[in-house]
């Protein structure tokens, strides 16, 4: 998949120097996820539902 024109977004919680964070970009049918420290590295393509489930599973339970 060609993501050269993708609009990548980083969390507002990211530090100015990049820190340990991911970037996300929308594409038809899902979301692309990459490591902000490795812009030429691999990209994970997932559905929005799969990303939502992963994030919810990572959140602490009350």
């Amino acid at each position: 998949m060609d993501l050269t024109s993708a609009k990548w977004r980083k969390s507002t919680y990211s530090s100015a120097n990049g820190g340990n964070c991911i970037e996300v970009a929308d594409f038809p049918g899902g979301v692309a996820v990459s490591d902000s420290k490795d812009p030429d590295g691999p990209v994970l393509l997932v559905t929005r539902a799969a990303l939502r489930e992963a994030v919810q599973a990572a959140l602490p339970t009350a």
Side-chain angles (χ1 to χ4, degrees):
M1 173 169 285
D2 181 13
L3 295 170
T4 54
S5 63
K7 289 188 170 193
W8 292 94
R9 300 179 311 276
K10 248 193 292 193
S11 169
T12 56
Y13 289 100
S14 300
S15 61
N17 65 359
N20 296 322
C21 77
I22 61 169
E23 294 179 300
V24 296
D26 293 323
F27 71 90
V31 179
V33 182
S34 73
D35 182 347
S36 63
K37 296 183 310 288
D38 189 6
D40 296 321
V43 174
L44 178 65
L45 303 175
V46 296
T47 64
R48 287 172 180 77
L51 181 59
R52 186 180 314 109
E53 288 178 28
V55 169
Q56 288 175 343
L59 295 174
T61 57

